[in-house]
Amino acid sequence: MEAVGILCLAVVVLTWGFFWVWESSERMKSQEQADLLGGGSHTLLVIAHPDDEAMFFAPTVLGLARLRHRVFLLCFSAGNYYNQGEIRKRELLQSCDVLGIPPSSVMIIDNRDFPDDPRVQWNTEHVASILLQHIEVNSINLVVTFDAGGVSGHSNHVALYAAVRTLHSEGKLPKGFPVLTLQSVSVLRKYLSLLDLPFSLLGTCDVLFVLTSKEVTRAKRAMSCHRSQLLWFRQLYVFFSRYMRINSLHFL
């Protein structure tokens, strides 16, 4: 019994130590990120489907809010794969409201050129052209989107990265214009929830956003707005996925 008591005490001490180090690291990172990203910026979050903003980017959106960024959202499809486009557009606006993005800052592109379909390759130049237009019209000075892996490998996600990469490589963005891409991780890490935090802290990302318990509740509330998508496996995703709690991002 004495050995069990000592073991329990050790677990408590190690857990406390872990969270103390995490909170200290987060305080330092918050200051570093404020210096790195600046305050009061106009940030454009570029997603492929309604629910991407909550399912993958909630830590980034809420983290940017801490830094007093004004977040605009550009969604390249209505998510009409199962003929639910109108429902999903309404759900997206509700989710954005929970995350602090007003309807006036949300643009949903409902265009046959960008179907919600993993078998269809979106035209990179067309995506890039629309993206550049939104950057210029809204005086955007930071873009956030998927990386080359698209988190889930969805071709529509990857198409957004390809478009941003094209704008960057062809010099169509202002010199030094920052683009942040959401890091894709292995399937194992993807479903470790908060247990992935040590790997994220020790990783080589440029920007790391970790949600507080209150912010996690808010992220889940945003995801719950997408009622049409909350099948049993997505409910498991909300519970286990690191992307509901942690976002690691890299500059392009």
Side-chain angles (χ1 to χ4, degrees), residues 90-105:
R90 290 195 296 272
E91 291 174 343
L92 174 59
L93 292 174
Q94 293 167 2
S95 172
C96 285
D97 183 60
V98 172
L99 294 173
I101 306 174
S104 59
S105 297

Side-chain angles (χ1 to χ4, degrees), residues 38-51:
S41 294
H42 281 198
T43 297
L44 180 64
L45 174 61
V46 186
I47 62 175
H49 318 107
D51 77 11

Side-chain angles (χ1 to χ4, degrees), residues 127-141:
V127 174
S129 174
I130 293 174
L131 177 53
L132 185 58
Q133 178 185 355
H134 280 269
I135 289 172
E136 293 171 346
V137 167
N138 295 295
S139 302
I140 299 298
N141 43 34

Side-chain angles (χ1 to χ4, degrees), residues 49-68:
H49 318 107
D51 77 11
D52 289 349
E53 82 296 336
M55 187 178 288
F56 304 119
F57 289 99
T60 296
V61 173
L62 296 175
L64 289 170
R66 289 185 221 141
L67 302 178
R68 305 196 177 195

Side-chain angles (χ1 to χ4, degrees), residues 50-51 78-79 84-92 116 228-229:
D51 77 11
Q84 296 177 312
E86 293 305 314
I87 294 172
R88 298 195 66 188
K89 283 192 281 187
R90 290 195 296 272
E91 291 174 343
L92 174 59
D116 172 11
S228 67
Q229 304 304 299

